[in-house]
Amino acid sequence: MPLILVPRAVATLDGGVLMNIQSEPSLLSVDRLTIDLPLSGGVLHPVRGVSFTVRRGEALALVGESGCGKSLTAMALMRLLPEDAQVPSGTVTLEGRELLSLTEKEMERVRGAGIAVIFQEPATSFNPVMTVGDQVAEMIRTHLTCGRTEARARAVEWLRRVGIPRPEEAYDAYPHELSGGLKQRAMIAMALSADPKVVVADEPTTALDVTVARQVLELLNDLKRERGLTLIFITHDLALLPGIADRVALMYAGEIVEMAPTEAFLAHPEHPYAQALLGALPRPDGGPTHAGGGARPQSDCQPVEGSVPNLWGPLKGCAFAPRCARAKSKCFEHAPAPQSRRDGLGTVRCIFAGDKTTAECRTFAAPEAAAIDGEPVLELQHAAVRTAPKGFTQSLAAFVGRAVGRTILPDCTLRLHRAETLALVGESGSGKTTAALTALGLLGNGLLAEGTVRCGGISMPVAGPRSPVFRRKVQIVFQDPFSSLDPRMTVGQILEEALVSLRPDLTPAERLLRMQALLKETGLAPESLECLPHEFSGGQRQRIAIARALSVEPEVIVLDEPTSALDVSVQAQILNLLGSLQRERGLAYLLITHNFAVVEHAAHRVAVMQGGRIVEEGAAAAVLTHPKAAYTKRLLASVPRL
């Protein structure tokens, strides 16, 4: 069921009578905030004249593509900008106190007690050599008058309030000993422990699976109701908005282009950029029969063509005009001023505001996948994975002939056919990636594996080495393209390395022609061969990773969360690219993801994993609309929907 928890009134901090947030005076006010970043090539203007207010007990969502200025705006509130950043104009006022003019010592009292932050990735935000509890207690002692014993008691209580089981044990645990969901809860506890006036949540659910993400959103909503929590919620996932935000501020090229109540924004977006973002969401609505004989549930997404403009100098006209299909000559000449939306509920910067006021929304109607004949192109048979005691090797385990260590993957069997997409879904820790890495022979040290993998008509033990033929037939695209590409190698060197290793029959001239064809096929410019990974955007880096996987002409590609770190518009481009490659080449995809919108859009079949076992498997339409397993039903009930 949809996750819709949008309270219009919240409890007072003393637990008294409910108050309406619409009648509250502004707690936080940002007026014409501008941020400049002097760089070697000139001055970058990433935030340009941003203004908004937030009332006590209200949640304001800042949304938009990467590079639009969301996080930089939020960090400016706490004066946590890069050292060389400049704020030439604008004000930030908290309860009538202007923050940008305070000394650094005065700001130290504001950070934590006035404005606190929940970072996107708690694993990198906690100090790894301090216990979780000590870090929460440190925040309490910094901003509240109390001793160590009282600070510990308060920290334990906050860990209990945010729903961490056995909070006394969690207090003494180090960050790496907690799951992603528990670390995020501990981060929330630390942010709230000093009783801040405003909390900034910067993409707090991006790295979490759907059930944990739902728990985090429900926790934040509970805190809004109980404590009058004021929240600035930064996200690129539009499906989360109905579950947390009272109002939405859409940012583009450093300015707010539309602001409205969440319900009005999603039902009647007036800015062309808002309409384009909503149209870029994956929509499952059926498609033609694919090469393997099954019905294909994917039609192309509608990506936002182009990219965010260069912000080195002053912009002339509307910043979105170069990407807008309805732009006229005057759009390139004059920057539109904010005006009231047609319904009067907010503002919009566009001369065409209100021309198209209903976002297109399609329901899930993917056809049942037909039975696929023929031998699978990849088959994992009765795979089991266990941890190994120190010094216990795979060969020793085979000699002893008994189970050792802790079981991670009890028994997993997967079959994948030509031109088919099999989605492997489940919560974090359910065994999805372990199953895929077992099939690929990429398990790390300290793990023992049993079972067989079959590819190209040849069976081999999962614990043994993979032949060059197998490596050519099965490739992988990892979740984070930046960490999976060698930062010291050019794109040409990255692609050529794969070809030299697995296509030694090609001459240097043939390799160059092959690389140029790959760039064209994946939508990259020819000159990309000479560039390093850091010179590309996230979506372009993922295209490079896909080109590398395609270079040896595989039959199967494992896609491990290929779009989780990407914006909505870039996600649409990558999904379209993968779809077209599958249609043209007959590729089979093993898609590992926690994004059910992507599953509904792209998958022919779905396998649901829990505790290392597949608890339900079948055609995507059947599993997603009529799930049988209780675990599948719980997963689907946690999926946020527009």
Side-chain angles (χ1 to χ4, degrees), residues 345-571:
L345 301 174
T347 60
V348 58
R349 288 177 179 263
C350 182
I351 62 174
F352 299 111
D355 280 8
K356 181 181 178 183
T357 58
T358 303
E360 184 179 4
C361 183
R362 288 167 278 180
T363 57
F364 182 51
E368 295 282 346
I372 301 175
D373 298 325
E375 183 176 321
V377 291
L378 180 68
E379 185 173 9
L380 185 65
Q381 300 172 330
H382 303 293
V385 178
R386 301 185 304 279
T387 58
K390 188 175 182 179
F392 215 88
T393 64
Q394 188 77 47
S395 57
L396 181 58
F399 176 77
V400 173
R402 62 183 176 82
V404 295
R406 179 174 58 88
T407 299
I408 299 175
L409 200 71
D411 185 356
C412 180
T413 296
L414 292 170
R415 295 177 181 85
L416 189 60
H417 293 80
R418 174 179 166 79
E420 178 189 38
T421 298
L422 171 64
L424 201 54
V425 302
E427 295 173 292
S428 296
S430 61
K432 307 185 297 296
T433 300
T434 300
L437 295 181
T438 301
L440 292 168
L442 296 178
L443 285 176
N445 295 328
L447 295 177
L448 303 175
E450 298 175 354
T452 59
V453 60
R454 184 176 178 83
C455 180
I458 301 174
S459 293
M460 62 200 80
V462 295
R466 301 295 186 268
S467 67
V469 173
F470 180 93
R471 294 292 182 205
R472 278 186 56 180
K473 288 181 177 289
V474 186
Q475 288 287 302
I476 184 170
V477 175
F478 293 98
Q479 177 175 358
D480 182 2
F482 191 72
S483 61
S484 64
L485 300 174
D486 191 324
R488 299 165 298 179
M489 295 174 66
T490 65
V491 172
Q493 291 170 329
I494 290 170
L495 297 180
E496 190 171 29
E497 181 183 44
L499 290 170
V500 169
S501 175
L502 296 174
R503 291 296 306 273
D505 55 305
L506 297 179
T507 66
E510 289 173 330
R511 288 199 297 268
L512 179 59
L513 289 174
R514 177 78 184 129
M515 291 187 293
Q516 291 171 340
L518 284 169
L519 293 180
K520 182 178 181 181
E521 194 171 17
T522 53
L524 294 166
E527 54 270 22
S528 299
L529 287 177
E530 305 301 322
C531 299
L532 294 168
H534 76 268
E535 299 179 68
F536 298 92
S537 67
Q540 289 172 324
R541 284 195 290 266
Q542 196 64 291
R543 288 173 182 267
I544 296 169
I546 293 171
R548 179 176 60 181
L550 291 171
S551 62
V552 294
E553 298 181 331
E555 296 178 3
V556 178
I557 297 181
V558 176
L559 303 167
D560 190 1
E561 298 278 7
T563 63
S564 65
L566 304 179
D567 294 322
V568 171
S569 57
V570 180
Q571 173 183 268

Side-chain angles (χ1 to χ4, degrees), residues 15-99:
V17 181
L18 292 178
M19 61 184 179
N20 191 308
I21 64 174
Q22 301 299 328
S23 60
E24 278 291 300
S26 297
L27 175 68
L28 177 72
S29 177
V30 177
D31 184 36
R32 290 171 288 185
L33 177 67
T34 298
I35 300 174
D36 291 345
L37 288 175
L39 301 175
S40 57
V43 178
L44 195 68
H45 307 284
V47 176
R48 304 178 299 123
V50 167
S51 298
F52 62 85
T53 60
V54 188
R55 301 180 182 90
R56 189 182 304 277
E58 182 183 28
L60 173 69
L62 293 179
V63 301
E65 294 173 281
S66 295
C68 68
K70 307 186 300 294
S71 294
L72 208 56
T73 298
M75 291 304 101
L77 308 182
M78 304 178 69
R79 297 257 299 273
L80 292 177
L81 293 170
E83 186 175 347
D84 55 351
Q86 301 173 353
V87 183
S89 63
T91 60
V92 177
T93 306
L94 177 66
E95 290 189 316
R97 189 184 191 190
E98 211 288 307
L99 302 184

Side-chain angles (χ1 to χ4, degrees), residues 123-200:
T124 58
S125 303
F126 278 111
N127 187 333
V129 298
M130 289 179 65
T131 67
V132 169
D134 282 344
Q135 294 181 65
V136 177
E138 183 181 48
M139 174 73 81
I140 294 172
R141 290 199 308 272
T142 299
H143 295 284
L144 303 176
T145 304
C146 61
R148 290 183 176 274
T149 302
E150 184 181 353
R152 179 187 175 95
R154 290 191 180 195
V156 169
E157 178 58 26
W158 267 111
L159 293 175
R160 177 181 290 107
R161 286 185 185 183
V162 298
I164 295 180
R166 300 183 297 279
E168 293 82 2
E169 296 178 18
Y171 184 101
D172 295 318
Y174 287 91
H176 73 272
E177 297 180 279
L178 300 182
S179 68
L182 290 181
K183 278 198 286 280
Q184 193 63 286
R185 286 174 177 266
M187 176 64 67
I188 294 173
M190 185 163 64
L192 297 175
S193 60
D195 199 16
K197 306 293 191 302
V198 178
V199 173
V200 175

